[in-house]
Amino acid sequence: MASQAKKLINDPDDVVTEFIEGLVETYPNLQYLDGFPEVKVVLRADISPATYDKVVVISGGGSGHEPAHAGFVGEGMLAAAICGDVFASPPVDAVLAGIRAVTGPMGCLLIVKNYTGDRLNFGLAAELAKSEGYMVEMVIVGDDCALPPPRGIVGRRGLAGTILVHKVAGAAAAAGLSLKDVAAEAKRASEMIGTMGVALSVCTLPGQATSNRLAPGKMELGLGIHGEPGVAVADIQPVDMVISHVLTKILSPESNYVPISRGNRVIIMTNGLGATPIMELMIASGKTVTKLQLEHGLAVDRVYVGSFMTSLDMAGFSITIMKADESILQRLDAATKAPAWPVGVNGNRPTPKFPVPMPPSSLKAMNVSSSRPRELSKQGLLLEAAIEAAAKAVIDIKDQLNEWDGEAGDADCGSTVSPLKVSSSLPLAHFFFPPFWLPAQYLPVLQLFKGATAILEDLKNHYPLNDAAETVNEVGTSMRVMGGTSGIM
Amino acid sequence: MASQAKKLINDPDDVVTEFIEGLVETYPNLQYLDGFPEVKVVLRADISPATYDKVVVISGGGSGHEPAHAGFVGEGMLAAAICGDVFASPPVDAVLAGIRAVTGPMGCLLIVKNYTGDRLNFGLAAELAKSEGYMVEMVIVGDDCALPPPRGIVGRRGLAGTILVHKVAGAAAAAGLSLKDVAAEAKRASEMIGTMGVALSVCTLPGQATSNRLAPGKMELGLGIHGEPGVAVADIQPVDMVISHVLTKILSPESNYVPISRGNRVIIMTNGLGATPIMELMIASGKTVTKLQLEHGLAVDRVYVGSFMTSLDMAGFSITIMKADESILQRLDAATKAPAWPVGVNGNRPTPKFPVPMPPSSLKAMNVSSSRPRELSKQGLLLEAAIEAAAKAVIDIKDQLNEWDGEAGDADCGSTVSPLKVSSSLPLAHFFFPPFWLPAQYLPVLQLFKGATAILEDLKNHYPLNDAAETVNEVGTSMRVMGGTSGIM
């Protein structure tokens, strides 16, 4: 049975307003229009609309996609973000209040994801604002590449690529361009992006039960960011294969969604969907770079990794590919104070990037200082047999070690762990353990096998077995590959 | 039964090296020592140790805590991060290779989380480096506040507060201080921090089965970041109560872990544990600020929110409180190129921060342009009854609407949704719906109730019921509170 989703929130009806309150406490450059609960607008604290001499860029939509869009408010990106309820477009009044709060004589560009509700609410607000004398333009973003054309009258969904359009438009506005030119740059940017997502779990709305839609071992491809089912469900595969599939879809010459072909330069955005660890996002991102270079013949100019356009607590990611040129790079690299825009990404990327080599003074060289005697003495033979038996004993008791490991798992909490009763059938394995385990870092059994394996290898290669004291030193050096607490002890 | 955890990775043994490869593709200022698989070290690409004229700060530990520590490498924070296998301390050789790769004549400060394995591996590497002529100091961080003293010989665990120590030390080093002074600032910072975590799920190691430890509806308090069980298991409560509990523990005068008392200034770090949506982190953060101010009499100088020190895919967060003074603020505010350090946080925070008021020209004012007649005509009475019945009908069919909503959930995918068969028992409800639902944004049933409720209220207050055309206009205006697709249509 599906159970209530676990969330650290208060009243499910208050999640958006409480999110905004937390956001403005965190970032002193942001403020909000307190028209709660209907009007939920985050805006730059430093804009006086009457005298502001640049175009303002505004976006927004349903909430549940944090940090989008409120986290991208700041000099150089959005002037305001209009937040709807979770997965619901904001009402016209909220959009209109946001336009009025920041728009000066240079006018306002609305960037809207391609969903019916957003198009209608932002569109009507734009008309009302124009009737009040404001200059307003609107650009619609539809970057989804999951479904083949034709996409009917609705067109493609707006996904994480929208954030790249925010950045291009925001930088163009900050550079002092006219509303017409800012809108033209935003529209052009929107035509350069393609996005597709992969999910391991279905998002759960605050206060609702979790969905059983996605079974263990399954993933969805081509999902939406509002809980819409994916285009396909498949067994979870290595992320290498998942990315190959996603890139093929985005760059498909049949659908022709993005004008990218071999030899072009591109930008990547790897976007976490809400519950995806950074480790997984980085792995996916590194593989995407390699595949674009080697399999698609593209040069990668910038890589943006993080959670930009999420779907509440969904696990998975989307990949966005954008065709790059000097003009777009200049906009993406321009300074911004928007807190959720990634830093440290700018700069020329050597292709291919060479890993820094190990310094020659590495310990690997130190190990070679000893060598195996040509002939072993009687004592040497005995020592060899003992070390080999001990190492093999460790390798053989894998299951038992795993069991002990589980029991010692709370050792970090500071409680004393009882001395382990080392079985009398393992006298040699004992050689490798301290007589009891100190309260210690989580002990990966993996490390013990690494150590035992390294010892077996070094034993054959270079232990000076006729010298027992030196050999014990070498055993210690071999075990330094282990890491963990056990390695060092 | 526990099932294999869903992860978007390749070989579980390669997650750390593939993470590092993705990281350096993303951030051009980072490189790595390719001593894979044993030596996994991320370092600044711009340091030539022979001539580097500042102290270098190095940290590291087991992986699985991304972005810690590699994401904090960059000018103004760490010079290198030594990455162990998942949850295992890096081996001595890796630490030593990292020290050699970046340390210049001013020396090196190692910042180490308080776990036995890290203390031993970093400690031995420090001794070896000293024997090679390097100047090395080490500062241990133990900021955990979950368990009461005494903590025995092991002491308190190192948690997310370690990142604040990185920042203070990194800024002190960048300012040109001597090794002795950088170490002293780091040590002092480590004594100013307290951390405690709350988890909704147990982390799963790559390739392992998920744990059944934490039942539906339960959370753990005072957990570790390596899967160690929490100090207590409790029913999930509103996050307000969870935070009250956590703050009481951290600031407890009995344990006296942090020297913070009423009237002090503090810094907050709200740290996601890996699978926590930003929405939830921001809600928690906003509530933490309020409670510290109102319940503990503390002024909050800075708020850092994000995922800094995670535990793979664990859902939940930790809260860190640090005592602030001008010296610490200066270090935290100093510029850094470390990609995972948050931006947009600096600046004086008005206390209390007033929300921006709605502009007076808001639509709320527009609604008052019409008014209810003193007496209703026959037609007016009829219209009132019809509108009231319709609105109530919508409110009454909540369950059925929820059902339709689920079925229409894939409307975004671009496939045409069949016209809804509106039941003949609901002729008045029909009034509020378009005859069929366009492929539309995910339709939150909530919005329909908002609309119907607003209509009932405005009906009594100001509909000009004797004028049918004007009244229909007013109904439209009332429905603009709804948001979503249905609101605007």
Side-chain angles (χ1 to χ4, degrees):
Chain A
M1 278 298 297
S3 55
Q4 174 100 1
K6 289 184 175 185
K7 287 187 195 289
L8 286 163
I9 59 171
N10 293 304
D11 187 330
D13 287 345
D14 296 337
V15 291
V16 181
T17 54
E18 292 188 354
F19 160 76
I20 291 173
E21 285 164 352
L23 188 82
V24 300
E25 289 289 359
T26 302
Y27 304 115
N29 292 327
L30 303 186
Q31 287 193 290
Y32 65 95
L33 288 184
D34 185 0
F36 291 174
E38 274 86 23
V39 175
K40 299 180 285 284
V41 176
V42 173
L43 64 164
R44 279 174 59 181
D46 61 338
I47 289 189
S48 301
T51 56
Y52 190 66
D53 62 352
K54 286 172 181 159
V55 171
V56 294
V57 181
I58 296 178
S59 190
S63 291
H65 307 303
E66 293 67 30
H69 296 271
F72 299 101
V73 173
E75 194 180 324
M77 278 187 87
L78 303 182
I82 322 294
C83 308
D85 289 331
V86 172
F87 294 170
S89 180
V92 173
D93 290 10
V95 182
L96 191 53
I99 293 172
R100 288 172 178 150
V102 292
T103 305
M106 290 285 282
C108 158
L109 173 66
L110 300 176
I111 298 179
V112 178
K113 299 194 296 298
N114 188 30
Y115 297 99
T116 310
D118 285 337
R119 294 184 68 145
L120 292 171
N121 283 294
F122 280 81
L124 180 51
E127 294 308 315
L128 290 170
K130 283 182 200 167
S131 75
E132 294 179 14
Y134 291 103
M135 285 166 56
V136 184
E137 292 284 339
M138 188 157 101
V139 168
I140 308 286
V141 182
D143 52 325
D144 184 26
C145 294
L147 287 171
R151 298 297 310 275
I153 58 163
V154 181
R156 298 156 67 195
R157 298 178 288 201
L159 297 174
T162 309
I163 306 304
L164 296 169
V165 181
H166 290 354
K167 184 66 175 69
V168 169
L177 270 61
S178 71
L179 178 58
K180 191 181 149 216
D181 291 343
V182 173
E185 284 208 27
K187 183 158 192 312
R188 182 166 170 274
S190 75
E191 290 161 356
M192 298 291 154
I193 49 176
T195 299
M196 185 169 154
V198 185
L200 300 181
S201 69
V202 181
C203 63
T204 309
L205 274 76
Q208 305 284 312
T210 54
S211 164
N212 289 326
R213 194 172 81 210
L214 208 43
K218 298 287 181 184
M219 62 178 177
E220 280 189 349
L221 297 159
L223 55 121
I225 53 174
H226 310 95
E228 308 97 315
V231 173
V233 175
D235 290 337
I236 293 180
Q237 291 159 359
V239 72
D240 268 358
M241 293 176 63
V242 173
I243 287 166
S244 286
H245 176 81
V246 167
L247 295 182
T248 306
K249 283 281 181 190
I250 295 175
L251 299 171
S252 156
E254 285 76 46
S255 65
N256 198 27
Y257 279 144
V258 281
I260 295 175
S261 51
R262 289 189 91 81
N264 284 167
R265 312 190 71 83
V266 296
I267 286 146
I268 302 172
M269 172 172 272
T270 307
N271 169 56
L273 290 170
T276 317
I278 291 166
M279 173 189 267
E280 293 181 38
L281 293 180
M282 282 293 174
I283 292 173
S285 210
K287 298 299 176 186
T288 301
V289 171
T290 309
K291 282 174 191 292
L292 286 175
Q293 289 170 340
L294 302 183
E295 296 174 15
H296 297 271
L298 299 168
V300 177
D301 277 328
R302 298 287 181 276
V303 183
Y304 302 99
V305 185
S307 289
F308 304 104
M309 176 83 77
T310 63
S311 181
L312 293 169
D313 54 359
M314 179 179 274
F317 58 71
S318 66
I319 306 249
T320 301
I321 310 294
M322 182 181 207
K323 185 173 177 180
D325 59 28
E326 280 314 307
S327 147
I328 281 176
L329 277 183
Q330 189 190 337
R331 298 303 183 210
L332 293 177
D333 286 353
T336 177
K337 291 188 177 166
W341 182 252
V343 298
V345 176
N346 299 357
N348 285 331
R349 308 176 66 257
T351 308
K353 182 189 293 277
F354 289 105
V356 176
M358 287 279 289
S361 53
S362 155
L363 274 178
K364 288 211 171 159
M366 291 172 57
N367 284 349
V368 189
S369 60
S370 67
S371 62
R372 184 184 172 93
R374 281 169 186 253
E375 273 187 49
L376 293 185
S377 66
K378 194 173 174 183
Q379 188 203 327
L381 285 166
L382 200 65
L383 193 56
E384 181 177 52
I387 292 173
E388 191 174 352
K392 286 185 173 168
V394 168
I395 291 170
D396 287 347
I397 56 165
K398 182 171 182 178
D399 290 344
Q400 190 165 355
L401 284 171
N402 265 320
E403 212 174 286
W404 293 347
D405 190 31
E407 286 170 21
D410 64 346
D412 278 298
C413 292
S415 58
T416 305
V417 173
S418 303
L420 269 183
K421 292 176 200 73
V422 176
S423 155
S424 60
S425 67
L426 299 169
L428 288 166
H430 197 167
F431 180 77
F432 295 98
F433 293 107
F436 61 91
W437 290 359
L438 284 175
Q441 184 167 10
Y442 183 93
L443 173 74
V445 169
L446 173 66
Q447 301 302 322
L448 290 172
F449 292 95
K450 272 195 181 176
T453 307
I455 286 168
L456 283 182
E457 189 175 317
D458 294 346
L459 171 70
K460 285 177 216 139
N461 293 337
H462 68 260
Y463 284 178
L465 287 160
N466 293 345
D467 180 339
E470 265 309 302
T471 298
V472 169
N473 268 345
E474 289 296 326
V475 169
T477 304
S478 299
M479 288 174 69
R480 279 160 56 178
V481 304
M482 286 170 63
T485 310
S486 43
I488 187 72
M489 296 202 316
Chain B
M1 279 298 296
S3 55
Q4 174 100 1
K6 289 184 176 185
K7 289 187 195 289
L8 286 164
I9 59 172
N10 294 304
D11 186 331
D13 286 345
D14 297 337
V15 291
V16 180
T17 54
E18 292 188 354
F19 159 77
I20 291 173
E21 286 164 351
L23 188 81
V24 300
E25 288 289 359
T26 303
Y27 304 115
N29 293 328
L30 303 186
Q31 287 191 290
Y32 65 94
L33 288 185
D34 185 359
F36 291 173
E38 274 85 22
V39 175
K40 298 180 286 283
V41 176
V42 173
L43 64 164
R44 279 173 59 180
D46 61 339
I47 289 189
S48 301
T51 56
Y52 190 66
D53 62 351
K54 287 173 180 160
V55 171
V56 293
V57 181
I58 296 179
S59 189
S63 291
H65 307 302
E66 292 69 27
H69 296 271
F72 299 102
V73 174
E75 194 180 324
M77 279 187 86
L78 304 182
I82 323 293
C83 308
D85 288 331
V86 172
F87 294 170
S89 181
V92 173
D93 290 9
V95 182
L96 191 54
I99 293 172
R100 289 171 177 153
V102 293
T103 305
M106 290 284 282
C108 160
L109 172 66
L110 301 176
I111 298 179
V112 177
K113 299 195 296 297
N114 188 29
Y115 298 99
T116 310
D118 285 336
R119 293 183 70 143
L120 293 172
N121 283 294
F122 280 81
L124 179 52
E127 294 307 316
L128 290 171
K130 282 182 201 165
S131 75
E132 294 180 16
Y134 291 103
M135 285 167 56
V136 184
E137 293 284 340
M138 188 157 101
V139 168
I140 308 286
V141 183
D143 52 324
D144 184 25
C145 294
L147 286 172
R151 298 298 309 277
I153 58 162
V154 181
R156 297 156 67 194
R157 298 177 288 200
L159 298 174
T162 309
I163 307 303
L164 296 169
V165 181
H166 289 355
K167 185 65 176 69
V168 169
L177 271 60
S178 71
L179 178 58
K180 191 181 149 217
D181 291 343
V182 173
E185 284 208 26
K187 182 156 192 315
R188 181 165 172 275
S190 75
E191 290 161 357
M192 298 291 155
I193 50 177
T195 298
M196 184 170 155
V198 185
L200 300 181
S201 69
V202 181
C203 64
T204 309
L205 275 75
Q208 304 285 312
T210 54
S211 164
N212 289 326
R213 194 172 80 209
L214 207 44
K218 297 288 181 185
M219 62 179 177
E220 279 188 351
L221 296 160
L223 56 121
I225 53 173
H226 310 95
E228 308 96 316
V231 173
V233 175
D235 290 337
I236 294 180
Q237 291 160 357
V239 72
D240 268 359
M241 293 176 64
V242 173
I243 287 166
S244 286
H245 175 81
V246 167
L247 295 182
T248 306
K249 283 279 180 190
I250 295 174
L251 299 171
S252 156
E254 284 77 46
S255 65
N256 197 26
Y257 279 143
V258 281
I260 295 174
S261 51
R262 290 189 89 82
N264 283 167
R265 312 190 70 81
V266 296
I267 285 145
I268 302 171
M269 173 172 271
T270 308
N271 170 55
L273 289 170
T276 317
I278 291 166
M279 173 189 266
E280 293 179 38
L281 293 179
M282 282 293 174
I283 292 173
S285 210
K287 298 299 176 187
T288 301
V289 172
T290 309
K291 282 175 193 291
L292 286 175
Q293 290 170 340
L294 301 182
E295 296 174 16
H296 297 271
L298 299 168
V300 177
D301 277 329
R302 298 287 181 276
V303 183
Y304 302 100
V305 185
S307 289
F308 304 104
M309 177 84 77
T310 63
S311 182
L312 293 170
D313 54 358
M314 180 180 272
F317 58 71
S318 67
I319 306 250
T320 300
I321 309 293
M322 181 181 208
K323 185 173 176 180
D325 59 28
E326 280 313 307
S327 148
I328 282 177
L329 277 184
Q330 189 191 337
R331 299 301 183 212
L332 294 177
D333 286 353
T336 177
K337 290 187 177 167
W341 181 254
V343 298
V345 176
N346 299 357
N348 286 330
R349 308 176 65 259
T351 308
K353 184 189 294 277
F354 289 105
V356 176
M358 288 278 290
S361 55
S362 156
L363 274 176
K364 290 210 170 159
M366 290 172 59
N367 285 347
V368 188
S369 59
S370 67
S371 63
R372 183 185 173 94
R374 283 171 184 250
E375 273 187 47
L376 294 184
S377 65
K378 195 172 174 183
Q379 189 204 328
L381 285 165
L382 201 65
L383 193 56
E384 180 177 52
I387 292 172
E388 190 173 353
K392 286 185 172 166
V394 168
I395 290 169
D396 287 347
I397 56 165
K398 183 172 180 178
D399 289 344
Q400 189 163 357
L401 284 172
N402 266 319
E403 212 174 285
W404 293 347
D405 191 30
E407 289 172 18
D410 64 347
D412 278 300
C413 292
S415 58
T416 306
V417 173
S418 303
L420 268 184
K421 293 175 201 74
V422 176
S423 154
S424 60
S425 68
L426 299 169
L428 287 166
H430 196 166
F431 178 77
F432 295 98
F433 293 107
F436 61 91
W437 289 359
L438 284 175
Q441 186 168 9
Y442 183 94
L443 173 73
V445 169
L446 173 65
Q447 300 300 323
L448 290 171
F449 291 95
K450 272 197 181 178
T453 308
I455 286 169
L456 283 182
E457 189 175 315
D458 293 347
L459 171 69
K460 284 177 217 139
N461 292 338
H462 69 259
Y463 284 178
L465 287 160
N466 294 345
D467 181 340
E470 264 309 303
T471 298
V472 169
N473 268 345
E474 289 298 326
V475 169
T477 303
S478 300
M479 289 174 69
R480 278 160 57 178
V481 303
M482 287 170 63
T485 309
S486 43
I488 186 73
M489 297 205 315

